[in-house]
Amino acid sequence: MSASQSVKKIIEINPYMLGTMAGGAADCQFWHRNLGVKCRLHELANKRRISVTGASKLLANILYSYRGMGLSVGTMIAGWDEKGPGLYYVDSEGGRLKGTRFSVGSGSPYAYGVLDSGYRYDMSVEEAAELARRAIYHATFRDGASGGVASVYHVGPNGWTKLSGDDVGELHYKYYPVEAEVVEQEMAELPVT
Amino acid sequence: MESVFGLVGKDFAIVVADSSAVHSILLHKTNEDKIMLLDSHKLMGASGETGDRAQFTEYIQKNVALYQFRNGIPLTTAAAANFTRGELATALRKNPYMVNIILAGYDKETGPSLYFIDYIASLHKLDKAAFGYGSYFALSMMDRHYQRDMTVEEAVNLVDKVIMEIRSRLVVAPPNFVIKIVDKDGAREYAWRESIKDAPVIAS
């Protein structure tokens, strides 16, 4: 799970669920916070945590009820519940998709290319984190509207942890270090005769 | 644009839909199930705007279930179809649902039936119907090869022919399709026709 820009694009809904931000920042922040409230109310009313399915449905239903009114939200809800890991894509048109990997935002086609070619369901955490970081880097490289910081979070049975937050500019030189140029000819002063 | 089509055979009805979830140029998912089981003996295949499709068909599904709870007997296919059309019609002049629906069902008394309901709330009881860009190929092929009282095998053969035609002739053809069937034993998934497989999910 990664995001870019120095704006916080990964919103912590609760200790075991994260939401990503794409589209309108205000809309995403507000409605994710609202979702956090609803999830907590669910916990209090039902004495158990809400599932990722349930949380994503709550958000999708809210966004659907505002359809046509200009909300701009493209988000992924990622979390861990009794059924294991869950990932849902939810957007302001009311769409909601369950899947194993998604990419959202203006740079998303670029990220999909890198993500799809390196993905396996049984990857290790380190491999997955590096794949996600790489996908963000390559999307940022090509997409003018992306940039800043690539944050990577891991969501496990005990909740989420932040794995890294690398400046994408620095990532560039890490992946493609500057090689010393071979100097063919150097300009030199003419000998004075 | 999403393709949904269906036909009625001898004692069964079949509904086929593509399974791609698309946003502008991106294919988010290739195994999205767009044919909902309305109840034990009804299938509702829907195509249209993503949010409207999922939300409207679920709304119909829950109302069909509510009727059964309240009255102890299930709705007939015709009643469900007319209810659906009514909901679309009521919303049409205010907040229209951009969903096209093929509703297929099996009733003990009347056998299999198929209803074509489009987004402007027209309703037709038909033997075969299709929506989406795929309909340009599906309708003529079904008109040509359809017979009354086809067997399941004959119907699936025709369905496969249509799917192959859509795959080969439609410029942005959906790679995968889902086929569902409804007969006296109920509504169920019959098969998937996949040309792109998503990365396999290993059960944890």
Side-chain angles (χ1 to χ4, degrees):
Chain A
M1 147 122 328
S2 5
S4 75
Q5 279 290 11
S6 39
V7 170
K8 261 198 103 177
K9 279 196 165 185
I10 297 190
I11 300 150
E12 296 146 10
I13 298 169
N14 60 43
Y16 57 96
M17 219 179 293
L18 293 171
T20 62
M21 188 201 300
D27 287 338
C28 289
Q29 274 181 3
F30 181 89
W31 289 110
H32 276 127
R33 188 69 185 258
N34 181 273
L35 179 64
V37 168
K38 286 199 162 66
C39 291
R40 178 68 183 139
L41 287 172
H42 175 100
E43 274 179 29
L44 291 168
N46 297 280
K47 278 198 185 174
R48 52 188 272 176
R49 283 180 179 172
I50 193 170
S51 62
V52 187
T53 314
S56 59
K57 190 85 179 171
L58 277 177
L59 183 62
N61 285 342
I62 295 168
L63 294 177
Y64 182 71
S65 66
Y66 284 94
R67 74 188 169 119
M69 295 192 211
L71 283 186
S72 171
V73 174
T75 184
M76 292 181 276
I77 303 293
W80 193 286
D81 58 30
E82 280 163 15
K83 294 204 177 125
L87 180 66
Y88 284 83
Y89 164 83
V90 178
D91 68 24
S92 45
E93 286 169 34
R96 172 175 168 267
L97 299 170
K98 180 173 163 65
T100 52
R101 65 191 183 283
F102 289 109
S103 173
V104 191
S106 57
S108 59
Y110 302 113
Y112 261 131
V114 175
L115 203 56
D116 288 337
S117 51
Y119 174 83
R120 285 174 356 257
Y121 188 75
D122 56 351
M123 299 170 82
S124 71
V125 174
E126 294 78 27
E127 284 178 311
E130 186 52 30
L131 181 65
R133 204 173 292 121
R134 257 291 155 93
I136 293 291
Y137 161 75
H138 283 285
T140 308
F141 184 75
R142 285 291 182 178
D143 176 40
S146 302
V149 171
S151 318
V152 182
Y153 284 68
H154 170 258
V155 185
N158 301 315
W160 55 260
T161 45
K162 183 162 182 178
L163 293 180
S164 68
D166 298 295
D167 181 276
V168 174
E170 283 170 29
L171 277 183
H172 173 81
Y173 291 107
K174 180 172 155 231
Y175 295 141
Y176 302 102
V178 178
E179 284 158 19
E181 261 179 38
V182 175
V183 176
E184 287 177 358
Q185 262 197 346
E186 244 183 52
M187 280 210 2
E189 291 280 338
L190 276 175
V192 173
T193 41
Chain B
M1 216 215 150
E2 302 167 6
S3 305
V4 186
F5 61 95
L7 55 107
V8 175
K10 185 178 179 56
D11 303 327
F12 70 93
I14 215 168
V15 179
V16 185
D18 75 281
S19 55
S20 19
V22 176
H23 271 84
S24 116
I25 59 161
L26 274 185
L27 239 193
H28 276 304
K29 235 183 139 181
T30 51
N31 57 0
E32 173 81 346
D33 187 353
K34 296 176 192 168
I35 306 178
M36 178 163 273
L37 262 56
L38 271 196
D39 70 15
S40 61
H41 286 74
K42 288 182 195 50
L43 289 174
M44 179 181 259
S47 80
E49 230 177 79
T50 328
D52 284 349
R53 172 173 50 79
Q55 294 277 1
F56 182 74
T57 55
E58 269 184 39
Y59 171 71
I60 299 296
Q61 187 192 53
K62 301 317 172 198
N63 273 284
V64 166
L66 183 60
Y67 181 93
Q68 187 162 356
F69 285 136
R70 280 189 175 147
N71 300 283
I73 51 163
L75 279 170
T76 58
T77 312
N82 279 282
F83 171 70
T84 306
R85 188 215 94 88
E87 290 301 307
L88 284 168
T90 311
L92 180 63
R93 303 286 181 182
K94 292 192 180 132
N95 195 9
Y97 293 107
M98 301 301 287
V99 211
N100 297 311
I101 287 166
I102 294 193
L103 203 158
Y106 186 92
D107 303 304
K108 264 212 313 236
E109 299 81 19
T110 49
S113 53
L114 186 132
Y115 289 86
F116 165 105
I117 309 168
D118 74 8
Y119 73 101
I120 32 180
S122 37
L123 171 71
H124 296 286
K125 183 176 186 305
L126 298 169
D127 285 333
K128 48 190 156 41
F131 281 113
Y133 286 133
S135 69
Y136 285 98
F137 311 104
L139 286 172
S140 56
M141 287 186 80
M142 289 197 291
D143 286 340
R144 169 69 183 83
H145 297 292
Y146 178 84
Q147 316 275 1
R148 293 197 59 222
D149 296 334
M150 287 169 86
T151 64
V152 177
E153 222 183 272
E154 287 170 339
V156 173
N157 261 337
L158 178 52
V159 160
D160 279 331
K161 280 207 181 84
V162 172
I163 289 175
M164 269 199 296
E165 187 65 11
I166 293 175
R167 274 195 187 139
S168 52
R169 286 294 186 184
L170 188 55
V171 62
V172 200
N176 299 342
F177 289 82
V178 63
I179 304 173
K180 292 201 180 177
I181 194 170
V182 59
D183 60 18
K184 66 176 183 359
D185 300 322
R188 59 192 179 280
E189 197 178 277
Y190 179 83
W192 284 79
R193 297 288 186 245
E194 291 175 304
S195 58
I196 293 182
K197 269 193 143 60
D198 251 334
V201 173
I202 302 159
S204 46

